Amino acid sequence: MNPVELKYNKDHEYARVSGNIVTFGITNHAQESLGDVVFVELPDEGSSVTVGKSYGTVESVKAVSDITASISGKVVEVNTLVLDAPDLLNSDPYGEGWLIKVEADDLSSLETMMTAAEYEAFVAEEEH
């Protein structure tokens, strides 16, 4: 079950909105598909991310995947815990396994993201 307060994209990433700060992470479905995560590369605090553009990578025993920004803005916090313990993405993707926090330039791009119910239907459709 995916947390209902989050927004989701087709790349199996989520956005948690709190004012104009948006926390990015990968979904439980993404971590299950990837398998054991062994390495995470994230941008530095103070750098900028652009909606639709890659801001880092998640490497697992199966694949290396780009992670893309759901909004544009400035990185205000990087989860250094996942850099040291990438398996947090597997064990707690919606909690300790978040990736970065971004101060949004504009939140309107979040309107194109899916609700939890829409995301679950998307995943079910994708698996058929």
Side-chain angles (χ1 to χ4, degrees):
M1 195 71 168
N2 297 292
V4 295
E5 71 277 9
L6 305 181
K7 301 291 262 174
Y8 300 87
N9 69 21
K10 291 181 177 175
D11 295 324
H12 305 288
E13 297 160 7
Y14 68 80
R16 175 180 284 117
V17 183
S18 178
N20 71 331
I21 303 296
V22 181
T23 302
F24 294 153
I26 66 169
T27 66
N28 189 57
H29 177 79
Q31 71 83 18
E32 286 176 348
S33 299
L34 285 167
D36 293 336
V37 176
V38 295
F39 181 76
V40 179
E41 180 182 56
L42 298 172
D44 295 326
E45 278 184 29
S47 61
S48 293
V49 296
T50 304
V51 65
K53 303 282 189 199
S54 173
Y55 66 83
T57 56
V58 173
E59 184 176 335
S60 73
V61 292
K62 293 182 183 177
V64 176
S65 301
D66 282 331
I67 35 181
T68 55
S70 299
I71 53 130
S72 297
K74 184 174 115 183
V75 178
V76 293
E77 191 174 346
V78 174
N79 186 355
T80 55
L81 287 177
V82 299
L83 299 176
D84 296 332
D87 59 319
L88 282 172
L89 277 88
N90 295 116
S91 61
D92 194 11
Y94 300 116
E96 293 291 317
W98 61 274
L99 298 172
I100 62 172
K101 293 184 180 184
V102 174
E103 185 175 8
D105 292 340
D106 178 8
L107 294 172
S108 64
S109 60
L110 295 175
E111 293 168 14
T112 63
M113 294 182 77
M114 294 175 269
T115 65
E118 290 167 336
Y119 177 69
E120 285 164 18
F122 170 74
V123 169
E125 187 66 31
E126 199 178 57
E127 290 175 344
H128 287 289

